Amino acid sequence: MNITREHIDELNAIVKVDIAKEDYSDNVEKILNDYRKNANIPGFRKGHVPMGMVKKQYGKAVLVDEVNKLLQEALNKYLTEEKLDVLGNPLPKAQDNLNWDAEDFSFEFELGLAPSFEIDLKSKKAITHYNIIADDKMIDEQVDRIQKQYGKLVAKDTVEEGDEITGVFANEEKEIENKTTLPLEKIKSKKAVKALTGAKVGEVVELSTKGLFEDDHDLIQYLKVEHDDAHGLDITVHFTIEEVNKREPAELNQELFDKLFGADVVTSAEELKAKIKEDSEKQFVQQADQKLLNDVTEYLVENTKFDLPAEFLKKWIQETGEQALSEEQASEEYEKSEKGLRYQLIEGKIITDNNLQVTFEELKDFAKDYIKMQMAQFGQTEPEEEAVENIAQRVLSNQEEVKRLSDQLMSQKLITFYKENTNLKTKELSYNDFVKEVYG
């Protein structure tokens, strides 16, 4: 067997594989002998079928199969030994005149080669790394929500500002009849708020659905109309008031603190606010880090210049997809995937050059930390190590979970690396200001 390579240019090459009779003949003979021993052909005893008949019936199929196996093994070995960094898979060149009755064969494969390039991590313009804080307004709102959530309901007979109303929405034509509970503050329409305020239990209030809520999608929840009907719904509904309740906020006392965080973890309103701030800002770190990862990725893709074997990749997409694609469709698919492919190459180089690979021990420790965090959410703050170890083993036996956790761990490694090696500027702002600035 002989394998040679011809470089068309820096990104494209042709590999030629020459296979001689001595490369495959022994395997073919062995398989045909096994066929002969086990063949059941009328008129012949088992194991006594003439070899000529076996070759005539099975010889060509066995030859083709063995040559293809040999070809694939040799090609894979060659790419590994030559350390060729290829994109996609080798594409066999069409051979319309291939003669399987010959003794020697030649095959050619097109290769798309990964480009060589350098990465400049230091952008001229600093990339913003956000430090998101929980401001006093946000903390006070969270305390207010906690007090309402754990407060008690006091029954009333007349609707006033801040009350919760339980009643039935009805419209005979649209076949609406739905019992629901909603806070008065949920109603957007000033006319509807005026009609409900002062109404008593047992009264029927006539309301228009147009502009009733801030978002028409709320009609789906409170009136149980279909999604398509909710948009722009303009009908009159009757709302029969069955209950009116005022929610008295819970007291900020030790009983509430223990219910929220466990015995004596928090012992005062000041400590409660500090705990809310700490927990909120831990979550904000994840959002800020994801934003940083996205921004650095965008910078690297836009500023790391290299060519790709575009024509080869389009052809590869066209020939290897699950469904047959035209040249135009393959070009469209390539355009969609080009940016992702560029970042895969950039990320792969960063990981290799800086030894950021995920080891099994790191993955196992990461999985155990994740499991402990999940268990803590259900009150198991100090689980036994043996139990965590057993769960981790089960998780790591699932390839999908391994992939998911590996991706998360690699993202963490890359974020840490980017924080240390890219040109960053820190910007501190509240969560609401972060949302406005980043998402508009």
Side-chain angles (χ1 to χ4, degrees), residues 4 6 13-18 71 75 90-95 105-111:
T4 56
E6 175 190 356
I14 300 291
V15 169
K16 184 179 180 182
V17 183
D18 295 322
L71 182 61
L75 189 58
L91 286 177
K93 295 192 73 173
Q95 291 179 277
F105 308 99
S106 289
F107 302 90
E108 290 185 342
F109 293 85
E110 298 178 56
L111 301 183

Side-chain angles (χ1 to χ4, degrees), residues 27 31 58 105 120 143 155 202 207 212 236 258 296 362 376 393 417:
N27 278 351
I31 292 171
Y58 301 108
F105 308 99
D120 182 9
V143 171
L207 303 171
L212 184 61
T236 298
D258 291 348
V296 174
E362 287 174 328
Q393 288 180 5
F417 176 80

Side-chain angles (χ1 to χ4, degrees), residues 28-29 32 49-61:
V28 170
E29 288 296 323
L32 290 175
V49 178
M51 179 55 79
M53 185 175 290
V54 173
K55 286 184 177 180
K56 184 177 181 181
Q57 187 165 351
Y58 301 108
K60 185 67 65 67

Side-chain angles (χ1 to χ4, degrees), residues 53 71 74 97 118 133 144 191 200 204 216 281 288 314 338 403 429:
M53 185 175 290
L71 182 61
N97 59 347
E118 295 300 322
I133 61 169
D144 186 55
K191 185 177 180 181
K200 296 183 179 296
V204 179
D216 282 347
E281 291 180 354
K314 291 174 186 177
E338 182 186 2
K403 173 77 165 58
L429 71 182

Side-chain angles (χ1 to χ4, degrees), residues 224-435:
K224 285 293 183 287
V225 297
E226 295 296 326
H227 181 275
D228 291 343
D229 291 335
H231 290 281
L233 183 66
D234 186 6
I235 59 172
T236 298
V237 291
H238 294 92
F239 184 65
T240 304
I241 301 173
E242 294 187 348
E243 291 179 30
V244 179
N245 292 289
K246 186 175 186 63
R247 188 174 289 274
E248 290 189 352
E251 291 185 30
L252 296 178
N253 54 27
Q254 196 59 47
E255 181 183 357
L256 177 61
F257 302 151
D258 291 348
K259 188 180 293 184
L260 291 170
F261 303 106
D264 298 325
V265 173
V266 169
T267 59
S268 67
E270 289 72 24
E271 288 183 12
L272 170 64
K273 291 183 177 182
K275 181 67 172 168
I276 291 171
K277 182 178 177 66
E278 178 188 355
D279 291 348
S280 297
E281 291 180 354
K282 280 181 182 177
Q283 295 179 22
F284 297 159
V285 167
Q286 295 178 7
Q287 289 179 266
D289 283 351
Q290 186 60 53
K291 172 62 176 167
L292 175 63
L293 183 60
N294 293 343
D295 289 346
V296 174
T297 297
E298 191 71 26
Y299 161 77
L300 290 172
V301 171
E302 293 299 322
N303 293 277
T304 307
K305 304 300 182 184
F306 53 82
D307 292 326
L308 290 169
E311 293 309 311
F312 168 84
L313 290 170
K314 291 174 186 177
K315 187 176 179 181
W316 178 71
I317 290 171
Q318 184 180 7
E319 295 187 8
T320 61
E322 292 182 4
Q323 296 180 338
L325 298 177
S326 66
E327 287 187 16
E328 184 179 353
Q329 288 172 324
S331 292
E332 289 176 0
E333 288 299 315
Y334 172 74
E335 295 298 328
K336 291 177 186 176
S337 61
E338 182 186 2
K339 190 173 182 178
L341 175 57
R342 286 183 178 277
Y343 184 66
Q344 283 180 11
L345 292 170
I346 294 167
E347 183 185 86
K349 182 173 174 59
I350 290 173
I351 291 168
T352 301
D353 290 353
N354 298 281
N355 196 29
L356 299 179
Q357 292 85 355
V358 172
T359 67
F360 179 76
E361 286 304 315
E362 287 174 328
L363 183 61
K364 185 177 179 182
D365 289 341
F366 184 74
K368 289 167 72 172
D369 288 342
Y370 177 78
I371 291 163
K372 288 176 182 177
M373 181 181 70
Q374 293 288 96
M375 295 174 79
Q377 292 179 358
F378 293 94
Q380 300 182 56
T381 54
E382 295 182 5
E384 293 183 4
E385 186 63 27
E386 184 179 354
V388 175
E389 182 78 24
N390 290 336
I391 296 172
Q393 288 180 5
R394 290 199 298 273
V395 169
L396 295 176
S397 67
N398 183 318
Q399 289 304 307
E400 289 185 6
E401 284 296 300
V402 169
K403 173 77 165 58
R404 184 178 66 84
L405 292 171
S406 295
D407 289 345
Q408 289 182 7
L409 180 53
M410 180 52 69
S411 290
Q412 284 190 9
K413 286 193 164 203
L414 287 168
I415 289 168
T416 300
F417 176 80
Y418 292 150
K419 286 179 180 178
E420 296 170 354
N421 293 279
T422 55
N423 182 19
L424 303 180
K425 64 176 180 181
T426 300
K427 184 172 184 178
E428 185 176 284
L429 71 182
S430 69
Y431 178 74
N432 285 337
D433 288 340
F434 169 76
V435 171

Side-chain angles (χ1 to χ4, degrees), residues 111-123:
L111 301 183
L113 305 177
S116 297
F117 56 90
E118 295 300 322
I119 299 172
D120 182 9
L121 291 165
K122 299 291 186 181
S123 58

